Amino acid sequence: MAKVHLWASLRRFADGQEVVEVEAATVGQMLDALEKAHPGLGPAIKAGLSVAVDGEVIANNRAAPVAAQSEVYLLQRLKGG
């Protein structure tokens, strides 16, 4: 199972957990599994998150692979102007 690290403001939607584990082979499957397990994460996922898999930032690529031993970080998407 992939370990998904949640940034602080998301933890309240996952019973305060900093790390949750989900079965997924891709970033898209991981996000879907997170939303199913913790429905409160849905709005943040739909609004857009930055995802880092094993230290590499994945931008808008739901097909990017996630291995069982992967460490995934969900981060607030940076906005600039």
Side-chain angles (χ1 to χ4, degrees):
M1 294 177 88
K3 292 182 180 181
V4 182
H5 299 259
L6 304 175
W7 93 76
S9 66
L10 287 181
R11 294 175 192 160
R12 63 187 163 128
F13 302 116
D15 301 320
Q17 298 177 81
E18 181 178 348
V19 179
V20 295
E21 293 186 356
V22 293
E23 289 280 343
T26 65
V27 168
Q29 289 174 0
M30 184 254 331
L31 293 173
D32 293 344
L34 279 173
E35 187 173 357
K36 184 175 180 181
H38 304 285
L41 291 171
I45 291 171
K46 286 178 178 59
L49 302 168
S50 292
V51 179
V53 179
D54 296 326
E56 182 178 334
V57 176
I58 307 296
N60 299 321
N61 185 359
R62 290 181 58 92
V66 175
Q69 69 278 10
S70 288
E71 283 196 333
V72 180
Y73 287 82
L74 294 186
L75 310 163
Q76 186 171 11
R77 184 172 283 168
L78 296 177
K79 299 176 183 176

